[in-house]
Amino acid sequence: MSAPSPTTPAAAAAGPHALDLVVVPTPQPPLQDERIPVRLVRPGVASPRPAHRPGPRPRSGRPDQLDDFGPVLSGRADLPDAHLVARRLVTLTLEALAGRRPLSQLQPLTSPGVFAALSAGRRPRWCAHGMSPLIVGAVRVCEPVDGVAEVSAVARRAGRAHAVAARLEGVDGRWRCTALQIG
């Protein structure tokens, strides 16, 4: 049987492992979303936070502001069919890792970080060894946010199934793989 927990604050503080709660004020002002007109924000009501989108910044769309020359996020209406691009990405990646196609063909489809990881030379043993054909089975695509697609696929080789997962983001009017996991 365990000992009863102390019920008073003085008894709790007297224990050998007492915890102190320290409230630290935030040094930044509260977040104000520029997309929400100020007249819609009521006093005392926090404005909704924008969805986190790593990578390039969206264009402002206002003629009085100059846009930088970097990559621009694209919405779903400006992008091709995510399912076709996902199947192509999974197939090309597995063929490149198996040595049947050059890795340089993946560069336009992937972010610099993903391409560097693929070029590092670490390949799944099941993908790099053997001559049995690689078969890409069902490819599933989910679009949780406008301009983002999450992909899962099943690849089969020599009677074994392996999982492939990727994240596609719309950049400059085309899908680009920003995360890839091959199991």
Side-chain angles (χ1 to χ4, degrees):
M1 236 174 146
S2 63
S5 63
T7 57
T8 63
H17 301 290
L19 297 176
D20 292 329
L21 176 64
V22 178
V23 178
V24 179
T26 307
Q28 295 126 355
L31 177 68
Q32 175 63 40
D33 192 352
E34 296 172 354
R35 296 175 292 179
I36 298 176
V38 178
R39 66 181 183 277
L40 294 179
V41 178
R42 294 179 294 211
V45 177
S47 63
R49 297 187 69 172
H52 175 68
R53 301 268 318 255
R57 302 181 141 240
R59 283 202 174 143
S60 64
R62 294 179 10 196
D64 60 336
Q65 287 185 340
L66 295 175
D67 294 323
D68 52 59
F69 293 99
V72 178
L73 295 174
S74 300
R76 181 64 187 106
D78 302 329
L79 297 166
D81 183 27
H83 191 270
L84 296 175
V85 173
R87 178 171 278 287
R88 180 172 176 246
L89 172 76
V90 170
T91 303
L92 291 178
T93 302
L94 293 178
E95 287 177 356
L97 291 175
R100 297 192 177 135
R101 137 182 337 265
L103 276 173
S104 61
Q105 291 184 3
L106 293 173
Q107 193 165 10
L109 298 172
T110 59
S111 67
V114 172
F115 184 73
L118 289 171
S119 300
R122 293 174 291 172
R123 299 176 179 185
R125 193 171 48 173
W126 67 269
C127 196
H129 297 296
M131 293 303 294
S132 59
L134 282 164
I135 300 169
V136 177
V139 176
R140 308 274 188 222
V141 177
C142 173
E143 296 184 39
V145 179
D146 187 35
V148 175
E150 295 176 350
V151 178
S152 63
V154 176
R156 298 184 189 284
R157 184 172 208 184
R160 298 195 64 174
H162 304 277
V164 180
R167 178 181 174 94
L168 302 176
E169 293 184 8
V171 179
D172 291 334
R174 63 184 194 186
W175 291 108
R176 181 166 285 203
C177 178
T178 57
L180 180 67
Q181 182 72 40
I182 300 173

